[in-house]
Amino acid sequence: VGMTSRHFWRHSVAVGLATETLARAERAHMGNAFAAGFLHSIGRLVLGHLVPSVLQELRAHAVREGIGLHCAERQLLGFTDAEIGGVLANRWQLPGELVAAIGGHADVNLSFDQDSLASLVARARTMVEAESIMDGVEPLAALPGPRLNSDDVLTTDEGFDALLDRVEAFMEHSGLV
């Protein structure tokens, strides 16, 4: 599928840090923001490890149809990897706000304007992916939804380059691939 540990974890750390930055700027959801962004794709990781052939078929379908992976999952499976992640987060007894953000960040009815942690994660993910920091599975050309200019939003941390420096430092010091 192209999902490598480095791609996956770099993407997860970037979304975590971007979610944290957005939360600080909006003074909302600051306590769980990094964790929600960091764990947002845990269901995709589990799906890729448990049934890699299914993830490969989902990706192939998304590419063929020109849709995002969550849409392909909904069409072929009837649920998304985000919902799998939400079930896992609930099973792990994470706080309700984290469960809702992990499970709901890919909800097609979610608005970027909502005052929810799931909305912050969705916005952060969109910004990170607009900068071509992908998880190694999601087809870049098929990403749905609006594009956000990350430097306009992340001005509190001197833009996306500063966030990338933090991502690389986190990766290096955490032992994540």
Side-chain angles (χ1 to χ4, degrees):
V1 175
M3 180 179 200
T4 67
S5 293
R6 176 140 179 87
H7 281 122
F8 178 83
W9 291 116
R10 185 171 186 255
H11 177 264
S12 294
V13 171
V15 174
L17 291 173
T19 304
E20 180 182 65
T21 301
L22 291 172
R24 274 197 321 268
E26 296 181 13
R27 299 184 196 280
H29 311 289
M30 292 182 287
N32 289 319
F34 176 79
F38 182 71
L39 295 172
H40 82 283
S41 283
I42 200 69
R44 185 170 292 178
L45 181 67
V46 169
L47 187 63
H49 281 285
L50 294 180
V51 283
S53 62
V54 170
L55 192 57
Q56 290 172 345
E57 177 52 37
L58 290 165
R59 186 176 194 286
H61 180 76
V63 169
R64 271 193 313 274
E65 299 297 318
I67 58 177
L69 193 64
H70 289 124
C71 292
E73 291 168 341
R74 176 76 53 210
Q75 288 177 2
L76 298 181
L77 301 176
F79 56 86
T80 67
D81 67 81
E83 292 166 341
I84 293 170
V87 169
L88 288 171
N90 187 50
R91 181 84 174 200
W92 296 333
Q93 299 179 351
L94 296 180
E97 182 180 51
L98 275 177
V99 172
I102 293 166
H105 78 273
D107 185 334
V108 295
N109 297 315
L110 185 66
S111 165
F112 281 178
D113 297 333
Q114 287 178 317
D115 181 30
S116 69
L117 185 53
S119 178
L120 284 179
V121 170
R123 286 175 28 217
R125 180 175 171 251
T126 298
M127 289 185 313
V128 165
E129 292 174 355
E131 298 289 336
S132 299
I133 300 188
M134 306 300 291
D135 65 4
V137 179
E138 185 75 50
L140 180 59
L143 290 175
R147 291 281 196 244
L148 299 177
N149 182 330
S150 57
D151 282 331
D152 288 346
V153 180
L154 298 177
T155 55
T156 56
D157 279 352
E158 300 173 18
F160 201 77
D161 288 339
L163 186 131
L164 284 181
D165 290 343
R166 291 177 60 208
V167 168
E168 294 309 322
F170 188 100
M171 295 286 291
E172 181 180 327
H173 296 291
S174 69
L176 285 174
V177 185

